[in-house]
Amino acid sequence: MKNMAKTLTDRGSRLVLGLAVWGLTAAAYAAEVHDLSGGPAVNQIDLPPPVTPIAQMQHQLNDMVMIICTIIFIGVFGVMFYSVWAHRKSRGAVAAKWHESTPIEITWTLVPFIIEILMALPTTQAVVAQKDTTSPDLTIKVTGYQWKWGYDYLTGEGEGISFVSTIDQAQRALSTAGTPKGDDYLLKVDHPLVVPVNKKVRIITTASDVIHAWFVPSFGVNQQAIPGFVRDTWFRVEKVGDYYGQCAQLCGKEHAYMPIQVKVLPEDEYKAWVASEKKREAAARGSGGGVASAQPASDSGIASGSDASAGHAQPVAAEQPAEQSHSNRASAGRAGVEG
């Protein structure tokens, strides 16, 4: 018994020491990290600030449901604890004997039904709004790879632009060295997605290998990217800035190194970016190096936007090599969307 007690004491001491070291390390690191605008916040417990109409609807829905749940929790447990305390046996309370009560049964059937209707109406409105991808100002195809994102601008300002976005190598080096640093740790990419402010952007998602998910919390957007299918969603950002997200579907050993960065620019700056990006791609083609494609598969499988807008997964044609010519990819994407 003495040996067992000593063993337990030693283990307890090591556990306490380990927790203390972990706590001090976490506190020291937390002191160096600040809230990231457009990304996570330190000690965040609420949803991130919304910057799109869809995200605002989600916030309002979340607040409404939390208020309803809190009222129900307080009401139910308040009545229960009062009943246990006020009618305890030590006070001589005797339980009433009754078999059924029609008014009570009607009440506890109608009240939950009304509550569910009140919750279902705004929920349905939000879900329908999320799938309304009609009349976009810009259509971008997002392709998930292990472990990067490919972006193809199919229609609108910037049509024909294509690039692959991967985690910034400096961020990856910090992770490899085990020295996390910066507010945007593991969230910064080498080539962010760029969109104009106050424009409706339709996102078409697919993947080349396994299931991924394009998730940007501030936009209220989380759309799976499935190999062989296309899905779609949309957003309209109302505030200029950088916004961050990550792949939200476990996709392999480097899932943590698949961040998303979206840069939202004023319209004039966005047009300037489009011009410079097209010059860069033209120079790359002129030098014979080609432009890396962001397409794992032919866009001929993307039929009219109405099918995808309805929320149905649409089949994509047979896969092609990820590094195909920019001109072939862009022409196929435009033909698919305009069809």
Side-chain angles (χ1 to χ4, degrees), residues 121-197:
L121 290 176
T123 301
T124 302
Q125 183 182 11
V127 171
V128 171
Q130 288 181 70
K131 299 310 298 180
D132 181 18
T133 58
T134 58
S135 304
D137 298 299
L138 188 65
T139 299
I140 302 173
K141 183 179 179 185
V142 178
T143 305
Y145 300 94
Q146 291 180 309
W147 290 269
K148 63 192 74 175
W149 295 101
Y151 297 109
D152 287 292
Y153 289 64
L154 301 182
T155 65
E157 186 82 27
E159 178 178 337
I161 292 176
S162 174
F163 55 86
V164 173
S165 176
T166 61
I167 188 170
D168 183 81
Q169 291 305 306
Q171 301 269 309
R172 184 59 189 267
L174 289 172
S175 176
T176 302
T179 55
K181 183 180 180 181
D183 301 335
D184 59 356
Y185 177 62
L186 296 186
L187 292 174
K188 186 178 180 181
V189 302
D190 58 357
H191 202 155
L193 176 67
V194 180
V195 299
V197 70

Side-chain angles (χ1 to χ4, degrees), residues 42-232:
V42 178
N43 299 323
Q44 179 178 337
I45 59 174
D46 195 8
L47 299 174
V51 294
T52 68
I54 292 299
Q56 292 172 4
M57 293 179 69
Q58 293 173 353
H59 267 250
Q60 294 168 359
L61 183 61
N62 176 75
D63 293 343
M64 183 197 73
V65 172
M66 288 299 296
I67 291 173
I68 293 175
C69 290
T70 301
I71 292 174
I72 293 174
F73 177 85
I74 293 174
V76 171
F77 280 90
V79 171
M80 184 181 71
F81 287 133
Y82 170 78
S83 300
V84 171
W85 174 258
H87 302 90
R88 61 189 186 275
K89 185 177 181 180
S90 61
R91 297 186 61 178
V94 179
K97 297 180 180 180
W98 53 280
H99 176 62
E100 63 182 19
S101 173
T102 301
I104 290 179
E105 291 183 358
I106 293 176
T107 300
W108 69 32
T109 300
L110 286 180
V111 170
F113 177 76
I114 294 172
I115 293 174
E116 289 179 357
I117 293 298
L118 293 175
M119 295 170 64
L121 290 176
T123 301
T124 302
Q125 183 182 11
V127 171
V128 171
Q130 288 181 70
K131 299 310 298 180
D132 181 18
T133 58
T134 58
S135 304
D137 298 299
L138 188 65
T139 299
I140 302 173
K141 183 179 179 185
V142 178
T143 305
Y145 300 94
Q146 291 180 309
W147 290 269
K148 63 192 74 175
W149 295 101
Y151 297 109
D152 287 292
Y153 289 64
L154 301 182
T155 65
E157 186 82 27
E159 178 178 337
I161 292 176
S162 174
F163 55 86
V164 173
S165 176
T166 61
I167 188 170
D168 183 81
Q169 291 305 306
Q171 301 269 309
R172 184 59 189 267
L174 289 172
S175 176
T176 302
T179 55
K181 183 180 180 181
D183 301 335
D184 59 356
Y185 177 62
L186 296 186
L187 292 174
K188 186 178 180 181
V189 302
D190 58 357
H191 202 155
L193 176 67
V194 180
V195 299
V197 70
N198 289 322
K199 296 292 184 180
K200 185 172 183 177
V201 181
R202 181 188 178 206
I203 296 293
I204 300 176
T205 62
T206 188
S208 69
D209 33 50
V210 299
I211 298 177
H212 301 277
W214 200 80
F215 177 40
V216 182
S218 294
F219 295 176
V221 171
N222 184 359
Q223 182 62 66
Q224 284 192 327
I226 306 172
F229 294 88
V230 292
R231 306 296 300 276
D232 71 342

